[in-house]
Amino acid sequence: MPFTLRRLFPLLASLLMSGAVLAQTYPSKPVTLMVPYPAGGLSDVIARTVNTTLAKNFGQPVIVENLGGVSGAIAAQKVLNSPSDGQIIFQGSPNELILSPLANAAVKFKSEDFRLVQMIATAQIAFLARKDLPVNNVDEFVDYARKMAKEGKPITYASVGPGSFYHLLGEHLSKVTHIEMTHVPYKGAAPANQDLLGGQVDIFLAPFGKSYDELAKQGKLKILAMLNTERLEGVKDYPAITESKALKTFTFTIWTGYFVKKDTPEPIVQTIHKAITDSLTDPAVRSGLEANSQLVAKPLSLVAVDKAYVDGTAQFRAIAKSINLQPQ
């Protein structure tokens, strides 16, 4: 046997053994669940719905850490600057890991620097309109928007910031309808909602929450449609976007998942994957997510998760390219 092979075999055996040891000992201390937004928001609620059960499955505490800034990129970078030992798990979405690097020149990482371990939930997107917008469904909205654009008074749409998913949705809506619309960026959903309720902005394509249902029933805003393929339980009072004529294919959701650095050892990834997958079957986790209008993710194998992340990255990059999104 050549000398190089004689030296290589012990090295490979050592690596395999060290991987097995990692799987047996991980986690040996509390795990941090990094949330890229301040406490109190929907992302924080999701994390605190999952972390207790996840801790039970790990046999170690799971501590939620909130770190906002730069559309979630500060928290993501902190994860990348930490060791690849699975001790920090990132709760993320396409907003932070796919779109932020495309929209912000200061963000230096790529989506490929992370590995998606498991999906957690999907948020439905609502087509919201101010209460006095003179339309009652999506097709009426398209006709009205076209009329206003011809009069030189394009309708306005809110987002939670340039390059955000909701900015892209608005731009994509303008592109597919060939109707000029004006983007009005906000620093978060709260001020966007405030101006929508006050009539300062016309529409907002936003993650659906129970509060919107209550506001719609109070006549304070309109829900023209859900960007779903069909009417789902809990939102059956509102049309699916596929029921419209003008925007039948304008179906979108945004998912939340748990990530680690891409070079995290495979045995650790497998342990995290199993703990998260088991958490998704817990009744308390499922009811907690559903109470916040989240669609609980169907557990996927690691192979399927890898493919879902690749496909999701390609989808969002294609949308960003279609509207010529440029880093600023």
Side-chain angles (χ1 to χ4, degrees):
M1 182 181 296
F3 177 72
T4 53
L5 288 180
R6 287 203 306 271
R7 297 192 62 181
L8 181 61
F9 284 151
L11 177 60
L12 291 174
S14 176
L15 288 173
L16 289 172
M17 185 175 296
S18 64
V21 171
L22 283 172
Q24 291 172 3
T25 60
Y26 173 85
S28 59
K29 57 183 178 180
V31 175
T32 297
L33 182 54
M34 180 67 69
V35 177
Y37 299 103
L42 181 59
S43 294
D44 183 58
V45 170
I46 292 172
R48 296 179 193 278
T49 300
V50 175
N51 75 313
T52 300
T53 301
L54 191 56
K56 181 178 67 177
N57 293 336
F58 274 144
Q60 289 286 347
V62 174
I63 301 167
V64 176
E65 180 179 343
N66 300 90
L67 182 61
V70 194
S71 299
I74 291 179
Q77 190 61 58
K78 182 174 180 177
V79 174
L80 289 179
N81 292 342
S82 302
S84 304
D85 57 5
Q87 288 299 140
I88 299 184
I89 298 172
F90 185 75
Q91 180 179 289
S93 74
N95 252 340
E96 304 85 40
L97 299 186
I98 301 174
L99 298 179
S100 183
L102 299 178
N104 193 324
V107 177
K108 301 304 180 183
F109 63 77
K110 306 184 297 296
S111 62
E112 289 84 359
D113 293 332
F114 290 85
R115 181 176 181 183
L116 178 62
V117 180
Q118 187 61 281
M119 299 281 195
I120 293 296
T122 298
Q124 303 175 70
I125 308 299
F127 197 127
L128 308 173
R130 58 180 169 87
K131 64 180 181 181
D132 54 348
L133 197 71
V135 302
N136 292 304
N137 58 55
V138 168
D139 290 323
E140 289 181 3
F141 166 78
V142 171
D143 290 340
Y144 175 76
R146 183 172 289 111
K147 173 178 176 290
M148 297 305 291
K150 288 180 178 179
E151 294 178 5
K153 297 179 286 187
I155 65 102
T156 54
Y157 68 91
S159 85
V160 297
S164 67
F165 177 54
Y166 315 104
H167 173 205
L168 264 67
L169 282 180
E171 288 292 324
H172 195 51
L173 176 63
S174 174
K175 182 179 178 64
V176 299
T177 57
H178 306 289
I179 298 172
E180 180 186 359
M181 301 179 189
T182 300
H183 177 215
V184 183
Y186 293 87
K187 292 184 178 180
N193 288 331
Q194 184 177 352
D195 274 9
L196 182 69
L197 294 173
Q200 278 78 49
V201 66
D202 293 318
I203 65 168
F204 184 22
L205 303 175
F208 179 78
K210 296 293 184 183
S211 61
Y212 289 132
D213 183 51
E214 295 167 3
L215 290 168
K217 289 175 179 175
Q218 294 168 11
K220 295 181 178 179
L221 57 74
K222 296 178 180 180
I223 301 178
L224 301 183
M226 302 294 296
L227 305 192
N228 295 334
T229 57
E230 59 183 348
R231 294 199 187 203
L232 299 180
E233 198 66 41
V235 290
K236 287 189 174 180
D237 290 343
Y238 308 112
I241 195 75
T242 51
E243 296 175 39
S244 69
K245 295 179 180 178
L247 293 171
K248 291 181 72 67
T249 62
F250 199 77
T251 56
F252 292 94
T253 56
I254 188 165
W255 47 264
T256 297
Y258 284 173
F259 295 79
V260 293
K261 293 174 64 176
K262 68 176 181 180
D263 56 348
T264 302
E266 188 67 20
I268 291 179
V269 174
Q270 291 174 0
T271 299
I272 296 173
H273 178 264
K274 184 179 187 308
I276 297 171
T277 301
D278 290 347
S279 298
L280 289 175
T281 65
D282 184 85
V285 171
R286 297 185 68 87
S287 62
L289 292 172
E290 290 167 356
N292 286 281
S293 303
Q294 298 291 300
L295 304 176
V296 181
K298 177 183 178 181
L300 299 174
S301 68
L302 278 170
V303 172
V305 170
D306 288 340
K307 183 178 187 304
Y309 189 38
V310 170
D311 292 346
T313 299
Q315 177 194 29
F316 281 91
R317 284 178 176 169
I319 296 173
K321 183 177 181 180
S322 74
I323 68 168
N324 195 31
L325 179 68
Q326 299 294 322
Q328 299 178 3

